């Protein structure tokens, strides 16, 4: 069962915590200002939950 990871870009601070925690799912955008979910990545990896917990603006969801 694939989960659906999303980032609220309006709330993202660009701190890169999620990228450092879970680089298989998250990356910075071309400008390096916002995090994005890598195409084809799903929310099954344990590190997604760690990234959600580490996000200072709580803007990552996995539903
Ligand atoms: S941890 Fe949250 S605020 Fe920081 S870059 Fe990732 S989504 Fe944005």
């Amino acid at each position: 069962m694939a989960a659906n990871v999303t980032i609220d870009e309006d709330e993202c601070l660009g701190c890169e915590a999620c990228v450092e925690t879970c680089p298989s799912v998250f990356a910075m955008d071309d400008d390096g200002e916002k995090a994005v979910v890598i195409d084809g990545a799903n929310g099954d990896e344990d590190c997604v939950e760690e990234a959600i917990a580490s996000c200072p603006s709580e803007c990552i969801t996995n539903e």
Side-chain angles (χ1 to χ4, degrees), residues 9-48:
E9 290 187 10
D10 291 338
E11 298 295 324
C12 175
L13 303 172
C15 71
E16 301 189 26
C18 56
V19 179
E20 292 175 11
T21 303
C22 195
S24 61
V25 176
F26 301 101
M28 299 308 289
D29 68 8
D30 290 341
D31 296 330
E33 294 181 353
K34 303 282 183 180
V36 296
V37 179
I38 295 170
D39 279 346
N42 64 47
D44 291 340
E45 291 89 346
D46 288 343
C47 65
V48 171

